[in-house]
Amino acid sequence: MLNIKNNILLLKKKPINIKNKVKTIIKDIKIYGEFALLYYIKFIDGIDIKSIKELIINRKTMKSSYNKISNKKKKILKEIYLRLKRYHFHNYVNSWQINNNIDIIYGQKINNIEKICIYVPGGNTIYPSSIYMNCIPSLIYRPNFICMVSPIKNGVISNTILSISYLNKINKIIFSGGVHTLSCVVFGTRNIIKVDKLTGPGNYYITKAKKIFFGSVGIDMLAGPSELIILCDGFIHPNVISYDFFSQLEHDINASCCLFTNNKKYLNLLYTKIYKLLLFQKNKKIIFKSLKNSILLFNKINNLLEIINFLAPEHLMICIKNSNKVVKKIKNCGAIFISYKTTETYGDYVIGPSHVIPTNSTSKYFSSLNIYDFCKKIGIIKIYNNKYCKILSSFFSKIEKFFSHSFSSIIRK
Amino acid sequence: MLNIKNNILLLKKKPINIKNKVKTIIKDIKIYGEFALLYYIKFIDGIDIKSIKELIINRKTMKSSYNKISNKKKKILKEIYLRLKRYHFHNYVNSWQINNNIDIIYGQKINNIEKICIYVPGGNTIYPSSIYMNCIPSLIYRPNFICMVSPIKNGVISNTILSISYLNKINKIIFSGGVHTLSCVVFGTRNIIKVDKLTGPGNYYITKAKKIFFGSVGIDMLAGPSELIILCDGFIHPNVISYDFFSQLEHDINASCCLFTNNKKYLNLLYTKIYKLLLFQKNKKIIFKSLKNSILLFNKINNLLEIINFLAPEHLMICIKNSNKVVKKIKNCGAIFISYKTTETYGDYVIGPSHVIPTNSTSKYFSSLNIYDFCKKIGIIKIYNNKYCKILSSFFSKIEKFFSHSFSSIIRK
């Protein structure tokens, strides 16, 4: 347990001068706009362009890419789209208004957030699942404009990526990543529209930048490396859980995966299995590095649950008989996967809840990306008999010494 | 400790900017805990105490204060409590779970945020309305612990304040404000419990600190000085609108109030009225200063609406025939007050929606404080037939080169 915390702390301590770098980039973009952007694209990304327009793709191009892909692929892409959207639609709430028949009509108007930017981390490839998982929750309240920002190093953008962006109603893609591009989206430049909200995970630089942007735009959360805790009583074949370890640990070298069990034998069994099977994994280099963040822990279930609620992990897999009882006791956690058949992979890709989930114990107060991140609630008040309001208001205004408050209610007949 | 003393000297010399001051205080509290707190309470607030316990009040004291107040007052306090709670309860959503009868059970578990701190700005007096407006939305999902942090200079705390705190289910009150006290609540010290979320407005220092805290705890929003735009076609007596100006402008010298009208005569009428009536206001000194932030604007209604949506004001009063049509066109705004009888004062005090509302154009992406600020949503997934999930997952894992992801689904029968 301590080990996890230490790892997280170490990770936090490493990038000392990152903050200053990020600040400089943001400042430059704020002052020099696209000139600075082109400069940074050249010197950070190594791409020499004359205008940012060269890296922007609009819906027309996406549509023509979508028309090029096979019908079979279209079917798969649509199926995923519909499955994810169905989940989020269950959370839909509408504006409401109520007349209390005594003195007040009040309510809540729910408006979309108009302009949204999703950040999709990339590099050698772009993660299509991240496009879905960022966009779908936003689509329920129909934003006016979605911009996707994503770095691409090889310069090759597949039709699949463009088709998925088309399906997810993205209006513009900027194929350039990093703090420099995000800053343009936050402050607006000649060719890049200023947005209202920014979502999606990124590396340390991006996360630092998001914290600085907070307040200039809305942001979803400050996410760090991925985490998984598997709570297991040992009735599942260790091969299966080993693969859950590998699939979690191959995300990146900072990812972590832990087994919490009340079965000591199982713990030993899994330990040997993991090292045996590790050699056959294609991403074994990454897994080997991230394995250092892993812990196998043995204790009573109730104690383990207490630790889980303290740690508030991003993902929690519960492979236990009587899982319902356990789920009720979970207080802090990003997403829960129940039973033998539910691998975290499904949650990453196709089921419903967004895979943009709070990490690093922040699920104590952040939620995974959901439709409420893309709307705002406006209180509405209309009074038709203000007798009682006058009395109550004057009570407060006396204590607070806001005397004109009282008069502004008294003067109304 | 030397560190602190040096910094205090610097604080007295002025030229350091706010952000650095705030950073220094937070750093000191993080390192020296309550020692630093006592130091800052002495040198910033001028109060010499031996232990922070002297400034902490528990529920027992609050209860005995509540028992001392008159029944008439109790009735008023309860009436306000019930009115406000009734409004927020309309937003209540529950956890849900759905079986799609094909392959998945999925749902969303809604948990409370366990420990909450509300900041109630004060000074000569504490604003009782702020206690209500911060607490009530939080009470719907029943937090385990509510701590109130509030500065009090005169050292006299009325029974009314303690009674209101008691009614609002506050567990602990720390009668000490500022960044130093908030830092203790965020990081936890010997006698002060670490919280998960921090809400409530404050001065520049508090707002700067909240931005730094964001990520270590959840925060509601970054709020600045209060704003009001009155959209009026001139059928209301200018005396009434003048008092709305005064009640808005007496908040503090940075508050602003604007009139947007399509009636040029009315604009001139109001202008003279305001200066005529200003002299009779008890808080005229503050109002006179904040009046410099005011604008009276004449234009067509449609143009004015466009400006309102661009500015995204905190409060919007609509005193116009056909107000329904206008309300539909409002996209960005914190709270809307409709018709002649609805003064903003009522919204500040007794109606329902929280008066903790986003300012400074941030209502484009922030909402006023509401019950969703005090809960978190956890996605739950359980799969009982994973045939289709396997196909879709392998599609993604190929593109994303996460090969173990694919295996972790294939290995499950």
Side-chain angles (χ1 to χ4, degrees):
Chain A
M1 189 180 101
L2 267 173
N3 217 343
I4 301 181
K5 280 277 155 190
N6 284 343
N7 272 317
I8 292 166
L9 287 176
L10 280 173
L11 294 177
K12 273 184 182 168
K13 275 177 195 164
K14 257 185 205 170
I16 287 170
N17 53 4
I18 281 188
K19 206 173 173 184
N20 285 338
K21 275 188 203 170
V22 169
K23 272 185 184 170
T24 313
I25 295 174
I26 293 173
K27 209 174 158 189
D28 283 345
I29 296 285
K30 233 175 168 176
I31 299 171
Y32 303 107
E34 278 177 25
F35 293 108
L37 177 64
L38 295 182
Y39 175 87
Y40 281 115
I41 288 177
K42 191 172 177 182
F43 286 94
I44 294 182
D45 307 328
I47 303 167
D48 202 354
I49 49 168
K50 279 184 182 165
S51 162
I52 187 64
K53 280 184 190 171
E54 293 173 36
L55 297 180
I56 296 178
I57 285 174
N58 54 26
R59 266 191 87 69
K60 213 176 160 187
T61 319
M62 293 179 232
K63 193 178 179 181
S64 69
S65 290
Y66 181 71
N67 290 332
K68 279 176 202 159
I69 60 170
S70 70
N71 281 338
K72 196 187 153 198
K73 207 173 226 178
K74 269 181 196 162
K75 209 185 148 190
I76 291 181
L77 297 185
K78 271 187 193 167
E79 172 71 22
I80 297 168
Y81 176 84
L82 288 175
R83 277 188 166 242
L84 297 174
K85 205 166 178 185
R86 216 176 287 139
Y87 175 87
H88 288 287
F89 212 82
H90 284 295
N91 283 326
Y92 184 77
V93 286
N94 218 328
S95 303
W96 56 268
Q97 198 159 305
I98 279 172
N99 187 337
N100 77 349
N101 287 325
I102 305 164
D103 49 2
I104 306 167
I105 297 171
Y106 60 30
Q108 189 175 259
K109 184 174 153 79
I110 297 191
N111 280 359
N112 66 3
I113 293 181
E114 294 184 80
K115 282 167 277 176
I116 285 160
C117 171
I118 64 161
Y119 189 80
V120 177
N124 294 322
T125 178
I126 288 173
Y127 300 121
S129 62
S130 293
I131 304 177
Y132 276 111
M133 291 295 183
N134 268 290
C135 279
I136 303 272
S138 83
L139 291 176
I140 306 294
Y141 284 109
R142 300 185 182 187
N144 304 1
F145 177 80
I146 305 180
C147 168
M148 169 174 141
V149 169
S150 186
I152 183 87
K153 273 178 191 160
N154 295 351
V156 185
I157 301 144
S158 72
N159 278 339
T160 312
I161 295 291
L162 293 178
S163 304
I164 292 172
S165 309
Y166 176 73
L167 254 185
N168 282 283
K169 311 229 161 69
I170 287 169
N171 298 78
K172 284 251 187 300
I173 308 177
I174 306 173
F175 275 120
S176 162
V179 176
H180 41 293
T181 317
L182 269 193
S183 307
C184 291
V185 175
V186 170
F187 303 112
T189 65
R190 207 171 160 184
N191 294 302
I192 297 174
I193 294 172
K194 177 183 173 12
V195 299
D196 300 319
K197 183 136 189 175
L198 194 61
T199 72
N203 58 19
Y204 288 117
Y205 287 85
I206 298 295
T207 307
K208 281 278 167 215
K210 274 172 83 179
K211 184 161 176 179
I212 295 171
F213 294 146
F214 178 66
S216 304
V217 288
I219 68 163
D220 50 347
M221 66 185 87
L222 301 171
S226 185
E227 306 153 355
L228 168 65
I229 290 179
I230 303 171
L231 184 68
C232 181
D233 56 8
F235 72 94
I236 293 181
H237 197 287
N239 278 7
V240 176
I241 300 292
S242 301
Y243 273 101
D244 284 325
F245 264 72
F246 302 143
S247 79
Q248 168 62 13
L249 294 174
E250 72 179 343
H251 277 117
D252 66 86
I253 57 163
N254 295 313
S256 72
C257 184
C258 303
L259 178 88
F260 283 16
T261 183
N262 58 348
N263 184 333
K264 217 170 197 172
K265 271 186 195 167
Y266 189 73
L267 191 146
N268 293 322
L269 217 65
L270 186 75
Y271 183 83
T272 46
K273 271 289 172 203
I274 286 175
Y275 277 94
K276 219 172 182 178
L277 290 171
L278 176 59
L279 298 169
F280 305 103
Q281 304 309 310
K282 281 193 182 166
N283 293 322
K284 61 186 166 207
K285 278 185 189 170
I286 298 172
I287 297 172
F288 193 76
K289 279 183 185 166
S290 52
L291 206 55
K292 73 172 192 304
N293 309 323
S294 290
I295 288 166
L296 308 181
L297 193 68
F298 160 76
N299 216 316
K300 280 181 197 165
I301 291 290
N302 277 339
N303 293 346
L304 293 172
L305 285 175
E306 222 165 278
I307 299 172
I308 288 169
N309 282 331
F310 172 76
L311 290 175
E314 185 189 12
H315 306 97
L316 175 66
M317 259 178 74
I318 300 177
C319 301
I320 266 187
K321 282 162 198 164
N322 277 331
S323 59
N324 281 343
K325 263 190 191 172
V326 170
V327 171
K328 273 182 195 159
K329 288 179 185 167
I330 299 297
K331 283 176 186 164
N332 303 319
C333 154
I336 302 175
F337 304 80
I338 305 169
S339 97
Y340 164 76
K341 284 205 175 163
T342 318
T343 170
E344 191 220 307
T345 301
Y346 297 153
D348 279 354
Y349 287 153
V350 291
I351 305 299
S354 177
H355 74 202
V356 181
I357 306 177
T359 63
N360 196 13
S361 298
T362 59
S363 61
K364 284 177 184 170
Y365 42 86
F366 286 141
S367 301
S368 61
L369 199 66
N370 61 72
I371 67 166
Y372 303 122
D373 285 315
F374 298 99
C375 67
K376 60 219 180 194
K377 294 128 214 147
I378 302 171
I380 295 185
I381 302 170
K382 187 177 180 177
I383 283 165
Y384 54 89
N385 178 357
N386 54 3
K387 194 182 142 197
Y388 212 69
C389 290
K390 275 182 193 173
I391 299 167
L392 299 178
S393 295
S394 79
F395 169 77
F396 274 132
S397 53
K398 258 180 220 162
I399 302 177
E400 304 193 348
K401 290 172 190 161
F402 284 153
F403 304 104
S404 303
H405 274 61
S406 180
F407 283 118
S408 79
S409 66
I410 290 165
I411 202 170
R412 287 172 149 86
K413 273 160 205 158
Chain B
M1 277 315 261
L2 264 174
N3 194 3
I4 304 176
K5 280 183 186 166
N6 287 340
N7 278 311
I8 278 293
L9 287 176
L10 282 172
L11 292 180
K12 281 179 184 166
K13 277 180 195 164
K14 259 188 182 176
I16 264 192
N17 65 24
I18 287 185
K19 207 176 173 182
N20 286 338
K21 276 187 205 172
V22 170
K23 272 185 184 170
T24 311
I25 295 173
I26 293 173
K27 209 176 157 188
D28 284 341
I29 295 284
K30 234 176 167 174
I31 299 171
Y32 304 106
E34 278 178 24
F35 293 108
L37 177 64
L38 295 182
Y39 183 86
Y40 280 116
I41 288 177
K42 190 172 176 184
F43 286 92
I44 293 181
D45 307 329
I47 302 168
D48 201 353
I49 48 168
K50 278 186 183 165
S51 162
I52 186 65
K53 279 182 189 172
E54 295 174 33
L55 297 180
I56 296 179
I57 284 175
N58 56 24
R59 265 192 88 68
K60 214 176 159 187
T61 319
M62 291 179 231
K63 195 179 176 181
S64 69
S65 290
Y66 181 72
N67 290 335
K68 279 176 203 160
I69 60 170
S70 69
N71 282 338
K72 195 187 156 197
K73 207 175 225 178
K74 269 183 197 160
K75 208 185 149 193
I76 291 181
L77 297 185
K78 271 188 193 166
E79 171 72 23
I80 297 168
Y81 177 84
L82 289 174
R83 277 187 167 242
L84 297 173
K85 205 165 178 186
R86 215 175 287 139
Y87 175 87
H88 287 287
F89 212 84
H90 286 295
N91 283 327
Y92 184 76
V93 287
N94 218 327
S95 303
W96 56 268
Q97 197 159 305
I98 278 171
N99 185 338
N100 78 350
N101 288 322
I102 305 164
D103 50 2
I104 307 168
I105 298 171
Y106 60 29
Q108 190 175 258
K109 183 174 153 80
I110 298 191
N111 281 0
N112 66 2
I113 293 181
E114 294 184 82
K115 283 165 277 175
I116 286 161
C117 170
I118 65 160
Y119 189 81
V120 176
N124 294 322
T125 179
I126 288 173
Y127 301 121
S129 63
S130 293
I131 305 177
Y132 276 111
M133 291 296 184
N134 270 289
C135 279
I136 303 272
S138 84
L139 291 176
I140 307 294
Y141 284 109
R142 299 184 184 189
N144 304 2
F145 177 81
I146 306 179
C147 167
M148 170 173 141
V149 170
S150 187
I152 183 86
K153 273 179 191 161
N154 295 349
V156 185
I157 302 145
S158 71
N159 278 338
T160 311
I161 294 293
L162 293 178
S163 304
I164 292 173
S165 309
Y166 177 74
L167 255 185
N168 282 281
K169 311 227 161 68
I170 288 170
N171 298 79
K172 283 249 189 301
I173 309 178
I174 306 173
F175 275 121
S176 161
V179 176
H180 42 294
T181 316
L182 269 192
S183 305
C184 292
V185 175
V186 169
F187 301 113
T189 66
R190 209 172 160 184
N191 294 302
I192 297 174
I193 295 174
K194 178 183 171 15
V195 299
D196 300 319
K197 185 137 187 175
L198 193 63
T199 71
N203 58 19
Y204 285 118
Y205 287 85
I206 298 294
T207 307
K208 281 279 168 211
K210 276 172 83 179
K211 184 162 176 180
I212 294 171
F213 294 146
F214 178 65
S216 305
V217 288
I219 67 163
D220 51 345
M221 65 185 86
L222 302 170
S226 185
E227 306 153 354
L228 167 65
I229 291 180
I230 303 171
L231 184 67
C232 181
D233 56 8
F235 72 94
I236 294 181
H237 197 287
N239 278 7
V240 176
I241 299 292
S242 300
Y243 273 101
D244 286 323
F245 263 72
F246 301 143
S247 79
Q248 167 63 13
L249 294 174
E250 72 179 342
H251 278 117
D252 65 86
I253 57 164
N254 296 313
S256 72
C257 184
C258 303
L259 177 88
F260 283 17
T261 183
N262 59 347
N263 184 334
K264 216 170 195 171
K265 272 185 193 168
Y266 189 72
L267 191 146
N268 292 321
L269 218 63
L270 187 74
Y271 182 83
T272 46
K273 272 287 172 203
I274 287 176
Y275 278 93
K276 220 173 181 176
L277 291 171
L278 176 58
L279 297 170
F280 304 103
Q281 305 309 310
K282 280 194 182 165
N283 293 322
K284 61 187 165 205
K285 277 185 189 170
I286 299 172
I287 297 173
F288 193 74
K289 277 182 186 166
S290 53
L291 205 56
K292 72 175 189 301
N293 309 322
S294 291
I295 290 167
L296 309 181
L297 193 68
F298 160 74
N299 216 316
K300 280 180 196 166
I301 291 290
N302 278 339
N303 294 346
L304 293 173
L305 285 175
E306 221 165 280
I307 299 171
I308 288 169
N309 282 330
F310 173 75
L311 290 176
E314 185 189 12
H315 306 97
L316 176 66
M317 259 180 73
I318 300 178
C319 301
I320 265 186
K321 282 163 198 163
N322 276 329
S323 59
N324 282 344
K325 262 189 191 173
V326 170
V327 171
K328 274 183 194 158
K329 288 179 185 166
I330 298 298
K331 285 176 185 161
N332 303 319
C333 153
I336 302 175
F337 304 80
I338 304 169
S339 97
Y340 164 76
K341 284 206 174 160
T342 320
T343 168
E344 192 220 307
T345 301
Y346 297 154
D348 279 353
Y349 288 152
V350 291
I351 305 299
S354 177
H355 74 202
V356 181
I357 306 176
T359 62
N360 196 14
S361 297
T362 60
S363 61
K364 284 177 183 170
Y365 42 85
F366 287 139
S367 301
S368 61
L369 199 66
N370 60 74
I371 68 166
Y372 303 123
D373 285 315
F374 299 98
C375 67
K376 58 221 182 195
K377 293 128 213 149
I378 302 172
I380 294 185
I381 302 171
K382 186 176 181 177
I383 283 164
Y384 54 89
N385 177 358
N386 55 3
K387 196 181 141 197
Y388 211 70
C389 289
K390 276 184 192 174
I391 299 167
L392 298 180
S393 294
S394 79
F395 168 78
F396 273 131
S397 53
K398 257 181 220 163
I399 302 177
E400 303 192 348
K401 289 172 192 160
F402 284 153
F403 303 105
S404 303
H405 273 61
S406 181
F407 282 118
S408 79
S409 66
I410 289 165
I411 203 170
R412 287 171 150 85
K413 272 160 210 159

